[in-house]
Amino acid sequence: MATTPKPSSERGIGTVAIRWHGSSLELLDQRLLPGEEHWITLEGAAGVSQSIRDMVVRGAPAIGISAAYGVALAARHAGGGDWKAEIKQAIRELAASRPTAVNLFWALQRMERVFHACHSLDEAVKRLAREAEAIHEEDLAANFAMAEQALEYIGTKEAISVLTHCNTGALATGGYGTALGVVRRLNEKKLLKEVYADETRPWLQGGRLTAWELSRDGIPVTLNADGAAAAIMARKDVRWVIVGADRITANGDVVNKIGTYSLAVLARHHRVGFMVVAPSSTVDMAMASGADVPIEERDGIEVREIRGIGLAPEGVSVFNPVFDVTPASLIDAIVTEKGVVHNPNMTGMRALFG
Ligand code: MRU
């Protein structure tokens, strides 16, 4: 029996990406969407780190949750000899899977604290599974709380259109969404006219995932090429750009999917609000600014090809950073489950996150 938290399905959300069964983890293979809904079953931490690296599962909170279950699996399947060394090695491998989203390291640190407090393998198996489930449940609860905070902040009484980037929905989180959680809540309250979804080159999270997950829940989504965002802001009545984050630093800079920074510049030019929605597990107060954050660069093949079909001359040199840094000065609000930082800067961030 899966023990995955259920509240999002009770709220009519048709998408789940992570299913926990106690001795195995199932991940919906996001590389195959929207064409195929295929679940991968994992029984060890190595498979989980590989799945994070290969983007079977992606999105900052979902990566953290999966890694936590990975540690729980490492305990569950530890040989019984030097079980502590086995779990430590699993944590190291999981930490090396992707570098940018801090939720991964945050979740692993939480798991590591519990692990260090365990005196036997039996205790570790139980407590690590419970901790991973708690991380999953808390993320879902944070999603709901952020959506409420954001709606209060937006404060609209009439239906509005918004624009989003990448995929920040049920597929990327514990089950409701960060930026897409706000979109869902606007829709639930009949305050959403339209959400424009950037297709999000090169991995196409917007086209393959956001458009899929929103359409199956009946949320009015219009897909656009990334390059159309300026024209949309100029010609359509978009009030807010709403995005998620992979890491928010102590000065309020936001590291998120490549292309987010351009959207923030465009939004400021067009006087459109720019909102970042992320749980506090995405906040990294140990990093002074976005310039310090390691930005993942992925294989150029992601830009040169799509599913084996060449889009550019074979072997052409490609620069493929998959995240960028949006300076705090371009952001109107960072919404977390702990509250909203308006016009973020070091002082505002410290007031909320210490
Ligand atoms: O490379 P990805 O797909 O893992 O990147 C995901 C993003 O950049 C999301 O915007 C971010 O993780 C927030 S998800 C709630």
Side-chain angles (χ1 to χ4, degrees):
M1 259 303 277
T3 53
T4 308
K6 294 216 172 40
S8 52
S9 54
E10 280 161 22
R11 289 174 75 153
I13 296 142
T15 307
V16 174
I18 302 171
R19 294 199 295 227
W20 172 240
H21 299 281
S23 60
S24 66
L25 177 70
E26 277 188 302
L27 297 174
L28 179 61
D29 191 344
Q30 301 193 27
R31 299 168 303 179
L32 303 181
L33 293 173
E36 202 182 321
E37 284 178 54
H38 175 72
W39 288 83
I40 292 186
T41 305
L42 303 160
E43 294 191 346
V48 179
S49 25
Q50 192 64 40
S51 298
I52 295 172
R53 186 171 297 115
D54 293 347
M55 298 186 55
V56 169
V57 61
R58 29 66 49 203
I63 292 172
I65 294 163
S66 304
Y69 283 131
V71 179
L73 287 178
R76 177 87 186 202
H77 298 283
D82 195 349
W83 60 273
K84 285 196 173 176
E86 284 181 45
I87 296 174
K88 270 191 209 153
Q89 176 59 18
I91 293 174
R92 270 196 298 274
E93 275 172 28
L94 286 158
S97 56
R98 287 188 81 186
T100 304
V102 76
N103 307 61
L104 172 70
F105 309 102
W106 169 89
L108 289 175
Q109 271 162 22
R110 249 180 89 161
M111 297 301 284
E112 208 165 3
R113 273 198 295 274
V114 171
F115 161 64
H116 284 307
C118 292
H119 301 289
S120 67
L121 178 56
D122 199 39
E123 184 187 358
V125 170
K126 289 192 190 105
R127 287 187 59 187
L128 289 171
R130 267 206 306 274
E131 190 68 5
E133 285 163 8
I135 287 172
H136 193 170
E137 281 158 23
E138 285 167 30
D139 186 68
L140 190 55
N143 284 189
F144 293 135
M146 289 186 289
E148 296 303 337
Q149 301 254 11
L151 252 71
E152 202 179 309
Y153 187 87
I154 291 171
T156 185
K157 300 250 181 304
E158 51 168 27
I160 57 166
S161 292
V162 303
L163 185 143
T164 193
H165 193 66
C166 196
N167 172 267
T168 60
L171 290 169
T173 62
Y176 187 69
T178 56
L180 284 197
V182 178
V183 167
R184 285 187 197 287
R185 196 72 191 121
L186 282 168
N187 190 58
E188 283 162 10
K189 294 261 189 185
K190 308 216 176 326
L191 292 172
L192 181 72
K193 211 189 281 175
E194 190 73 39
V195 51
Y196 291 93
D198 276 359
E199 70 175 341
T200 317
R201 282 277 293 149
W203 212 77
L204 302 173
Q205 285 92 335
R208 299 196 306 101
L209 309 178
T210 298
W212 178 75
E213 116 166 44
L214 292 184
S215 341
R216 74 208 299 254
D217 285 341
I219 297 173
V221 57
T222 297
L223 181 64
N224 58 273
D226 298 339
I232 290 170
M233 287 189 218
R235 290 170 44 192
K236 307 280 182 185
D237 188 20
V238 167
R239 301 285 175 83
W240 285 91
V241 172
I242 310 181
V243 296
D246 287 81
R247 201 183 292 230
I248 302 173
T249 55
N251 65 345
D253 286 353
V254 166
V255 179
N256 190 47
K257 182 50 55 191
I258 191 77
T260 304
Y261 177 24
S262 338
L263 284 180
V265 174
L266 290 175
R268 187 57 52 95
H269 178 80
H270 291 97
R271 298 197 167 87
V272 168
F274 191 87
M275 174 182 282
V276 176
V277 186
S280 54
S281 53
T282 306
V283 173
D284 184 358
M285 292 301 281
M287 288 251 167
S289 82
D292 304 328
V293 176
I295 301 291
E296 179 182 8
E297 287 181 27
R298 293 183 70 88
D299 199 313
I301 204 163
E302 292 183 351
V303 180
R304 274 196 306 267
E305 290 183 7
I306 287 184
R307 291 190 174 145
I309 299 170
L311 304 172
E314 213 174 296
V316 70
S317 156
V318 169
F319 177 48
N320 186 22
V322 299
F323 300 100
D324 60 23
V325 181
T326 300
S329 57
L330 292 175
I331 298 166
D332 294 299
I334 295 176
V335 178
T336 74
E337 80 284 10
K338 294 194 170 170
V340 179
V341 186
H342 175 67
N343 291 339
N345 57 22
M346 183 88 76
T347 315
M349 289 297 289
R350 280 212 182 120
L352 203 55
F353 301 106

